Amino acid sequence: MTAPLAPVAAMEQCPKLPGRRRAAAIVAVLMAMVLAVLDAAVVNVALPSMARSLQVSPGTSIWIITAYQLAVVMALLPCAALGDSLGHRRVFTGGVALFTAASVLCAVSPSLPWLVASRFLQGLGAAAIMALGIALLRAIVPQDRFGTAIGWNALAVALSSAAGPTIGAAILAGASWPWLFALNLPLGAMVLLATRALPDVKGTACPLDRISVVLNAAAFASLVVGMELLTAHSVPAALLIGAAAITLAALIRRELPKEMPLIPLDLLRTPSFRTSVVASFCCFAGITLGLLALPFYLQHNLGLEPLMTAFYMAPWPLTVAIAAPLVGRLADHVSTAWLCVVGSACLAAGLSATAMWDLQQSARPLVIFMVLCGLGFGFFQVPNNRNLFLAAPRARSGAAGGMQATARLAGQTVGGVVMTLIFARFPVDTAPMLALGVGATLTLAAGVLSALRVDT
C-alpha cells in the first residue's frame, strides 16, 4: 500500500486552536448556517408579495424557490469535493461571499428572470456552506466534543427555521420584499469577518473532474425537475427521470476507479456510513410528509386559522432547539445507534398520534405530539450526523458533509412528491392522515436501520 499524500495526512490531524479563536470559529460556522436557513425561511413566506410586485402568476413565482433549490442540489457534492481539494476554509468563505453578493443582486432585481438568476447564485453559495459547515466543526473541536458541536449546529438551524417566517412577516409589514435580501448584507459581512478564525487546514490538492461536475449537475437537475413534474406532466417527468438515471450511471462509472470520487463511493462502501445516509434519507422523507400534511390537516380538517396553525406547529422546531444541544453532549458518551432508535420511535409516535387521535373536540393534545416529534428529531438527527462524519476520514469530511446534505435534500424532495401523489389519489379529508401515517412509517424505518449498524 502506498503512503498517503502529504496533504491528506495533514488533514487527518485536528488543529489545536486557542480558546478564543475556537469560539470565534464555531460562531462563524453557526452564523453562516443561520444566514442560509433564515434566508430560505423568509423568502418562502414572502412569495405572494414577490409575485404581486413582479406582476407574475403564483405558479411562475415558484421559480424563485426552485432556482435556489436546484443550485443547492446540483452544487453540494462538487462544493464538498472542492473543499476537500482546496481546503474547507477557503471554499466555505467563498460560499459565504457568493451568497452575500448574490443577496445584493436579489435586492435590486427589476424582474423575475433577474431574481431567479440571482437566487441560483445564492444557492451555489449556500451549497458550499451546507456541505462544509459540519466538516469545519469537526476540525475546530476535539472528537470527544464533536456531538456537542453538531447539537449547536442543529440548535442554530432549528431557531432560524422557527424564527424565519415571523421575521419575514415583520419586515413585509413595514417594507417591500427587497429588504428581505438586504437583511443578509450585515449578517454576511459579520460572517465573512468571523471566517478569519477558521482553521486553515491544507486540502488534498486532488483536481476536480469537470466532466464529472457536469454529469453530476445534469443528473440531479433532471431528477429534481422530473420529480416536481411527476404528478402534472407524467411523460416529460418520466423522460427526465430516465435521463437522470442514465447520467447518474455514467457518473458512477466514471468515478468508480478514483481514490477520492466526486460521489463518495469510497465512503458508501463503509457499512456504518452507508446506513447513516440511508437512515437520514428515510427520516427526512418522513418528516417532510408530516410537515406538509399538518397545515392541511389543521386548517381543512380542524378549521383552524393560519395563525393558530403556526402556533400549534411551533413546539416542533422549538423542542428541537432545546433538545439538540443536550443530545449532542449525550451522543459523545452514549451509543449513537440507540439514540437514533429512541429518536425515530418518538417521531413515529408523534406523527401516528396526530393522525389517529380525535382532535375535533380539542387540538390541545397536538402540542404534546409536536413536542414528541421535536424531541424525536433531535434524538435522531444529531447522533446520526455524528456517526456519519466519524465513519469518514478527516480528509473526506467535506465529502461526508456533501453526502449528508444530499441525503437530506433527496429525502425532502421524495417526501414532497409522495405528498403530492397522496393528494392526487385521495380525498382532502383523508389525505393528510394517510400522509402522516406514511411519514411515521418512514421515520420508524430510519430507526430500524440505525439499530442494525455498529457504532464506530
Side-chain angles (χ1 to χ4, degrees):
M1 183 179 293
T2 58
L5 295 174
V8 176
M11 287 189 72
E12 289 297 333
Q13 299 176 2
C14 179
K16 295 181 179 179
L17 300 179
R20 289 186 178 180
R21 184 179 173 187
R22 177 184 295 173
I26 292 171
V27 169
V29 173
L30 299 186
M31 285 176 62
M33 290 294 184
V34 169
L35 184 69
V37 174
L38 193 62
D39 178 84
V42 298
V43 171
N44 287 346
V45 77
L47 209 57
S49 299
M50 292 180 180
R52 288 193 299 270
S53 175
L54 297 170
Q55 298 181 344
V56 297
S57 67
T60 305
S61 70
I62 294 295
W63 277 102
I64 300 171
I65 305 296
T66 303
Y68 182 88
Q69 294 173 334
L70 268 179
V72 170
V73 76
M74 290 165 62
L76 273 173
L77 292 177
C79 284
L82 197 62
D84 283 345
S85 175
L86 301 180
H88 298 159
R89 171 184 171 178
R90 184 176 177 183
V91 177
F92 183 85
T93 303
V96 175
L98 178 59
F99 187 96
T100 306
S103 297
V104 177
L105 296 177
C106 290
V108 300
S109 295
S111 64
L112 180 66
W114 180 302
L115 181 57
V116 168
S118 302
R119 287 283 288 166
F120 188 85
L121 290 177
Q122 258 195 329
L124 295 179
I129 295 170
M130 294 177 186
L132 299 173
I134 298 182
L136 277 165
L137 288 177
R138 185 180 181 185
I140 294 167
V141 302
Q143 182 168 310
D144 61 358
R145 296 191 64 192
F146 185 45
T148 303
I150 294 178
W152 295 335
N153 182 76
L155 168 65
V157 171
L159 288 179
S160 301
S161 300
T166 303
I167 293 174
I171 292 174
L172 290 176
S176 56
W177 64 262
W179 285 99
L180 298 172
F181 298 106
L183 175 69
N184 295 335
L185 304 186
L187 184 57
M190 287 188 290
V191 175
L192 284 172
L193 185 62
T195 55
R196 299 172 60 186
L198 294 173
D200 190 15
V201 181
K202 300 294 183 182
T204 62
C206 293
L208 204 60
D209 189 326
R210 295 180 182 180
I211 295 177
S212 292
V213 171
V214 172
L215 288 173
N216 172 84
F220 281 106
S222 300
L223 182 61
V224 170
V225 176
M227 295 287 274
E228 292 284 347
L229 297 176
L230 191 58
T231 54
H233 307 283
S234 57
V235 174
L239 292 174
L240 282 170
I241 293 172
I246 294 171
T247 309
L248 189 60
L251 174 62
I252 292 173
R253 183 177 180 181
R254 183 178 181 85
E255 292 293 298
L256 199 58
K258 297 181 180 179
E259 184 181 354
M260 302 181 72
L262 180 69
I263 295 182
L265 302 170
D266 55 328
L267 301 181
L268 289 169
R269 295 187 187 102
T270 305
S272 184
F273 182 90
R274 181 173 62 247
T275 302
S276 294
V277 168
V278 178
S280 183
F281 168 84
C282 292
C283 183
F284 275 102
I287 286 173
T288 300
L289 274 165
L291 291 174
L292 290 176
L294 277 168
F296 288 97
Y297 178 51
L298 297 179
Q299 294 182 42
H300 183 273
N301 295 46
L302 301 184
L304 298 180
E305 296 295 328
L307 184 60
M308 290 303 297
T309 298
F311 172 79
Y312 278 112
M313 292 181 65
W316 184 331
L318 292 177
T319 305
V320 174
I322 295 170
L326 301 176
V327 177
R329 292 185 180 183
L330 198 60
D332 288 326
H333 306 286
V334 179
S335 166
T336 57
W338 290 112
L339 288 175
C340 290
V341 170
V342 171
S344 68
C346 289
L347 264 169
L351 293 174
S352 299
T354 303
M356 295 186 296
W357 196 279
D358 184 8
L359 298 172
Q360 295 290 343
Q361 299 300 321
S362 174
R364 290 178 182 177
L366 190 61
V367 174
I368 298 174
F369 304 153
M370 293 297 96
V371 168
L372 197 58
C373 287
L375 193 66
F377 183 63
F379 263 83
F380 177 87
Q381 184 65 3
V382 174
N384 190 68
N385 280 347
R386 183 185 188 277
N387 182 79
L388 186 150
F389 276 88
L390 292 184
R394 286 192 183 275
R396 297 290 280 153
S397 291
M403 197 67 235
Q404 182 269 334
T406 300
R408 172 173 56 81
L409 289 174
Q412 290 171 336
T413 301
V414 169
V417 171
V418 172
M419 183 77 251
T420 305
L421 290 172
I422 289 174
F423 270 117
R425 300 290 187 272
F426 296 92
V428 70
D429 290 335
T430 58
M433 279 81 79
L434 180 59
L436 288 167
V438 175
T441 303
L442 286 168
T443 56
L444 195 60
V448 172
L449 287 168
S450 299
L452 296 176
R453 69 169 164 80
V454 178
D455 282 336
T456 53

